[in-house]
């Protein structure tokens, strides 16, 4: 096997931790000697052992005599500081490993390169940058949050070919396939929080939990945009059992009695600035970061989707297209509000990829800062 193949194995291992490690990144590691994998592992959860530790400990059990001068492949630069766990650089050094292959440097500008430099100073051969883009994409939420101090935001849409999310009566079950909906729950599992508007809340009364058969998932925090606090006190998001909180985002001057009753049921109520009768989403992003939300999935409604784009908070778009046609112009559109007057001002996705789920097509792309035009979207 080649270096790239071993790193691809480390990346696959890292992906197994996706959704469990926040606020830490998911990381994988593979230890190789004489063309054989003698140890492997990934970071299982925040506060748990790092991938390098798991892989080296695995090798110490399976083939302790082969650790000396072995090569370790790791998807993220080994840490060189004391946190909840000792530095991984010390673990690598003490194990007698002779060569380290790193996919990407630590995105934190204050520590980037420190682990690599330490290992090189100690005489180890260090190769950096192998499959770097794949590694950065895997931890894109961690990279963004580290460098920008706001949540990484994914906007998920699901529509017919003619751009509708529901009929004129509000019926939307189901536009997409079972396979698409399963992946939607995977996205919920991978994100710290999920956001909808009060319109979607009242129309669907959703649970907003992550449910994948055969997999132990982590529910995202449920965030409801509800400017005037219209949520019913027995809504599923309020009364259901879940380890994740429900956060109701409101404007000022809401009924203090209702706020108190919602809090008594376990919900959190978060007051946010209001601009043009809508909640200020940029103000909300700052508040969510303070609540340790590093990644956010937006699922709710055409008005919320349009407002999120216009506010400039969206990093990534996951757009499911189902091979169905409404055949009229009175359905509920994916985006609701006024759009730009000229094509040159539309939102353009970069780094676009496609994937099939049953008969549906998922289009994934990123909104780069330069592709975020100003509009009203309301």
């Amino acid at each position: 096997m080649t270096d790239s193949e071993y790193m691809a194995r480390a990346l696959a291992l890292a992906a197994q931790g996706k959704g469990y490690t926040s606020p830490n990144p998911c990381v994988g590691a593979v230890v190789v000697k004489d063309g054989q994998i003698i140890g492997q592992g990934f970071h299982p959860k925040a506060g748990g052992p790092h991938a390098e530790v798991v892989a080296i400990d695995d090798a110490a059990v399976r083939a302790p005599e082969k650790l000396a001068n072995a090569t370790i492949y790791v998807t993220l630069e080994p840490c060189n500081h004391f946190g909840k766990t000792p530095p991984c650089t010390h673990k690598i050094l003490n194990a007698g490993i002779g060569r380290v292959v790193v996919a990407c440097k630590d995105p934190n500008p204050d520590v980037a390169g420190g682990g690599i430099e330490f290992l090189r100073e100690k005489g180890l051969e260090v190769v950096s940058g192998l499959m770097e883009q794949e590694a950065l994409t895997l931890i894109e939420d961690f990279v963004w949050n580290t460098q920008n101090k706001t949540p990484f935001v994914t906007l998920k849409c699901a529509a017919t070919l003619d751009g509708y999310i529901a009929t004129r009566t509000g019926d939307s079950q189901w536009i997409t396939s079972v396979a698409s909906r399963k992946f939607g729950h995977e996205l919920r599992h991978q994100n710290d929080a999920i956001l909808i508007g009060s319109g979607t809340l009242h129309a669907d009364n959703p649970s907003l939990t992550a449910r994948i058969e055969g997999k132990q998932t982590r529910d995202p925090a449920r965030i409801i945009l509800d400017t005037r606090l219209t949520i019913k006190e027995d809504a599923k998001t309020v009364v259901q059992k879940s380890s994740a909180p429900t956060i109701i985002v409101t404007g000022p001057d809401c009924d203090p009695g209702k706020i108190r009753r919602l809090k008594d049921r376990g919900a959190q109520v978060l007051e946010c600035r209001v601009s043009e009768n809508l909640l200020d989403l940029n103000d909300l992003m700052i508040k969510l970061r303070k609540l340790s939300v590093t990644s956010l999935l937006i699922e709710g409604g055409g008005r919320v989707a349009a407002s999120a784009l216009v506010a400039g908070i969206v990093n990534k778009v996951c757009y499911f297209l189902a091979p169905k046609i409404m055949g009229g112009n009175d359905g509920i559109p994916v985006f609701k509000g006024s759009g730009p007057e000229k094509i040159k001002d539309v939102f353009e996705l970069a780094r676009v990829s496609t994937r099939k789920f049953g008969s549906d097509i998922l289009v994934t792309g990123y909104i780069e800062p330069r592709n975020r035009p100003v509009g009203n979207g309301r």
Side-chain angles (χ1 to χ4, degrees), residues 38-373:
I38 62 172
Q40 58 186 348
F42 61 94
H43 182 43
K45 63 179 181 178
H50 289 188
E52 300 94 317
V53 174
V54 177
I56 292 171
D57 286 349
D58 184 38
V61 172
R62 293 167 56 182
E65 74 285 355
K66 292 187 175 183
L67 263 174
N69 295 315
T71 297
I72 186 168
Y73 298 82
V74 60
T75 59
L76 180 64
E77 177 182 7
C79 62
N80 192 41
H81 58 276
F82 284 89
K84 291 183 178 179
T85 59
C88 289
T89 51
H90 291 202
K91 182 76 173 183
I92 292 170
L93 191 64
N94 294 335
I97 286 173
R99 181 170 180 256
V100 181
V101 182
V102 176
C104 64
K105 291 182 179 180
D106 192 309
N108 186 336
D110 295 331
V111 299
I116 291 172
E117 183 179 349
F118 173 84
L119 292 170
R120 283 175 175 162
E121 288 175 351
K122 296 299 181 180
L124 278 70
E125 178 189 352
V126 182
V127 177
S128 177
L130 179 66
M131 301 186 72
E132 180 180 38
Q133 190 54 57
E134 292 88 339
L136 289 172
T137 299
L138 186 63
I139 59 169
E140 58 192 4
D141 50 350
F142 176 77
V143 174
W144 174 267
N145 186 260
T146 299
Q147 296 177 349
N148 296 277
K149 309 304 180 186
T150 56
F152 181 89
V153 177
T154 300
L155 174 63
K156 182 179 86 74
C157 309
T160 61
L161 290 179
D162 45 354
Y164 294 105
I165 61 175
T167 67
R168 65 177 179 273
T169 65
D171 183 41
S172 62
Q173 296 184 354
W174 295 104
I175 285 178
T176 53
S177 66
V178 171
S180 295
R181 299 198 299 274
K182 180 179 178 181
F183 185 73
H185 279 271
E186 183 66 41
L187 289 175
R188 291 182 179 185
H189 163 72
Q190 292 177 4
N191 282 269
D192 289 340
I194 180 172
L195 181 147
I196 65 168
S198 58
T200 299
L201 175 78
H202 296 313
D204 300 337
N205 192 23
S207 297
L208 302 182
T209 54
R211 306 179 300 278
I212 303 174
E213 186 176 351
K215 181 173 182 176
Q216 184 177 354
T217 54
R218 183 189 66 146
D219 285 343
R222 296 167 293 279
I223 300 173
I224 314 297
L225 301 182
D226 192 2
T227 311
R228 297 171 184 82
L229 203 60
T230 59
I231 187 172
K232 294 180 179 178
E233 293 170 35
D234 61 351
K236 284 183 182 178
T237 55
V238 175
V239 301
Q240 69 190 355
K241 292 182 179 179
S242 174
S243 59
T246 292
I247 303 171
I248 305 165
V249 185
T250 71
D253 304 322
C254 289
D255 180 1
K258 188 171 184 180
I259 292 175
R260 184 175 60 255
R261 292 192 299 273
L262 286 166
K263 288 183 176 179
D264 287 342
R265 286 181 174 266
Q268 299 178 28
V269 179
L270 180 65
E271 185 178 316
C272 200
R273 284 203 308 257
V274 173
S275 175
E276 298 181 29
N277 295 317
L278 293 174
L279 292 162
D280 186 326
L281 296 182
N282 282 286
D283 182 43
L284 176 59
M285 293 305 105
I286 295 171
K287 286 180 166 61
L288 291 181
R289 176 61 166 77
K290 293 178 181 178
L291 293 175
S292 299
V293 174
T294 64
S295 56
L296 175 68
L297 177 67
I298 297 179
E299 278 196 7
R303 190 173 296 280
V304 169
S307 295
L309 284 174
V310 170
I313 66 169
V314 177
N315 300 95
K316 182 178 183 178
V317 176
C318 291
Y319 196 124
F320 287 93
L321 275 171
K324 299 175 182 178
I325 299 173
M326 203 74 73
N329 66 353
D330 58 351
I332 299 175
V334 181
F335 300 102
K336 190 173 182 181
S338 300
E341 294 183 356
K342 306 220 177 253
I343 290 295
K344 68 181 180 64
D345 295 324
V346 303
F347 294 91
E348 185 174 358
L349 298 183
R351 292 181 283 150
V352 175
S353 62
T354 60
R355 182 177 171 184
K356 286 200 71 177
F357 287 91
S359 58
D360 301 336
I361 296 175
L362 170 63
V363 179
T364 301
Y366 296 82
I367 299 182
E368 309 289 3
R370 64 180 180 277
N371 292 330
R372 297 180 182 178

